[in-house]
Structure formats: C-alpha cells, structure tokens
Amino acid sequence: MALLHSSAPALTSAATLFSNNNKTPSLSGLQHRIRCNVVEPLKYENGYPFVSTLSNDFLASKSHLDFSINKHDTRLRIFSGTANSALSQEIACYMGLELGKIKIKRFADGEIYVQLQESVRGCDVFLVQPTCPPANENLMELLIMIDACRRASAKNITAVIPYFGYARADRKTQGRESIAAKLVANLITEAGANRVLACDLHSGQSMGYFDIPVDHVYGQPVILDYLASKTLCSDDLVVVSPDVGGVARARAFAKKLSDAPLAIVDKRRHGHNVAEVMNLIGDVKGKVAVMVDDMIDTAGTIAKGAALLHQEGAREVYACTTHAVFSPPAIQRLSSGLFQEVIITNTIPVSEKNYFPQLTILSVANLLGETIWRVHDDCSGGYEPYSSLGID
C-alpha cells in the first residue's frame, strides 16, 4: 500500500511539465505534480485555473511558474479547527495545498468566535475537526465553523470528522434514554453542512442519522499496512474481537490479514465504562493475538481481554484501534505490560505526556487527503487501486 506512505513532492522543473513544442500544458498533468505521489493518480479536472501558452522566458523563471499554479486559485479550501491541527496540516501537505486562514478564539465567558480570513465564495470547503474530548467544545466549534462558511457563501461545505463523538449513543438500551448520535447529526446538518466525511464510525447505522451524504472510510488499510511490514508469521496470528459487537469488524480485519482465524471475548457490561470479561470463544494458545476495536476509551474492555488471552496461553498480544480516546486510567492499563504493542492512528491527538514505550501512532492523513480529492472531483472510491479506501 504505497498510497498510505506517499508524501507530497516538491514542484518539478518546467521542462517536465510542458512539452518541447511549447504547447498549452496538460492541466491534469500539472495537477499531478502539485499533488502527492500516489500509485496511479486519477485525472482531476474540476476547479483548477486555466494555464495559457507560456514563452521560454516565462518558463525560465521559477517564480512565475509557482505563480501560475498558485494553490489558492483552486476552488478547494481546507480549514482546520483547534481539535487536531497537526492532522489537518498533514492532510494539506499530502494534497499539496495550504490550510485556509481562519481565526478561532474563546471569549472570557467561554463563547467561541470564528472568522474566515479569506474568501470562500463559490468554493468547495472542507472543515477538519474531530469531536474528541472535550467533545462539547469541539462540536460547538465545528458547528460555528460550518455556519461561518455558509454565511460566507461557500458552494459546498464538507465536515471532515476523523472521530465522531457521541457515536456510542446510537440506540436506546434502556427506557427514557436519548439517542445523542442522531441529535448531533441533526445539529451538523442544520448548521449548514452539505456532506460529512467520517472515519470508522462506532456503528454503521450512524450514517443513516444524517439527512446529507456521508462518506465513511476505514482506518484498517493503515493498520494492515503497518502489520504487513512486521515480521509476523501468518500461521501464528489470530484476530480477536474484544466483544461480541465487534465481531464483524474483526472478521473483516482477519480476512485481510492472511485470512487469520478469529476469536471472540465474551464480555458482560455492568455499567458505563465498566466491563467484565466472562469467557473466550476460540483458540489462542501459542498464538500472536491481534485485538481489533474501533476505539479505546478507558481501556477496561481491551485490558481485561488481553489478560484473559494471556491466561489462555497467547504468546503475544497486540492492540489495534483507530480512535485513541484514552480517558483515565487508559494509559496505566495499556502500559502495564499486557501488550506487546498498542497500535493507534492520529484521528485524535495524543499528548506527549501520554506516550509509553509500547505505543505506535500511525497517520491517516494520506487516507483522508485522498478521500477529499475524490469527493471534490465527484469520483468513487471503488476504482482500482483505491478500492481499499472503502469509499462508496
């Protein structure tokens, strides 16, 4: 999966962009050199400036060349909230663009102020803002960013939500409970978003809560690519679901991981953020167990599951998850020696004080950046070699 590790290259010389006959340059070829080096880039034709025939004197000047392909002339704009600015910068870097200028501040009473520092009239705007802890602050900031873009006459507004907070409140398990996932979906829609791009939603039905299109991508290709680079014998692997609800996710992961066997931890939950492991379905004796989940919050479920796997004779235990919420006491549980390695992605920022030796952080910037390009150009993700992105 070279796609997941490619980076945005520098601009090539004018001789490689234009033919010797000094004809009008190919616009799609120009775009490919602005973008990153993917396996087989598609031809993008929307929203880029027309480049007229240039003289040899003009081609000799790099400054003129840079001006002729000014990234700000495109109709695509990417803005970052304050929740995960590092990921936003990585996405922009992969795409060969610069983040849009935006002013976000908090008043003394806690109210949020947002002002776009550049025009977005008629533009295709992407707002990168996970609703990670503090969830309410980041959600409100996203809503105000969407409203600012709508009132600035943006043509399309896509909320890029690497981590969708409140996703676990997707159904009623007891009487008189709220379904907060639907409420948040309504808020995002009513604020003015035209589309949502999300990564690894807690449950697939959350997509149905939105009355606007939802592009749902998975972090599995990033983690699988990393595991493939490790010297793990496929005959020794077993993929473990930490609970019954994650069986479908673990089965899909196992199929792509050399069609590894599957084991399931039977878990009974007695309260929120409290889990109790009851039994193990499957054989892990002498195996390398790879536990797969969409998120780790307090790590109670996955830590007790790892302890059970060791009791059942597992040789090593790896934890793989897309979203590292890491609410206390997650760090203590994960660094206690139960895990050979804890593999996460950067959908949620992890502060340096929460680093521990077994932690590995993978970037989903290339995955999200490629998806943004494809959404911007109205292109499906089923086209090879991008089918692994999981974009419908």
Side-chain angles (χ1 to χ4, degrees), residues 241-243 264-270 274-281 291 299-309 311-312:
S241 172
D243 53 33
I264 304 169
V265 176
D266 178 29
K267 177 197 68 176
R268 304 293 173 90
R269 187 181 295 275
H270 297 288
V274 178
E276 180 180 353
V277 172
M278 300 297 293
N279 205 353
L280 177 68
I281 304 171
M291 302 189 73
T301 297
I302 203 163
K304 290 184 178 181
L308 178 62
L309 293 176
Q311 291 174 13
E312 296 293 330

Side-chain angles (χ1 to χ4, degrees), residues 135-152:
N136 298 331
E137 281 279 314
N138 291 328
L139 174 61
M140 195 64 199
E141 183 178 304
L142 173 62
L143 298 177
I144 298 176
M145 289 170 64
I146 294 172
D147 183 71
C149 292
R150 180 175 64 87
R151 297 180 187 278

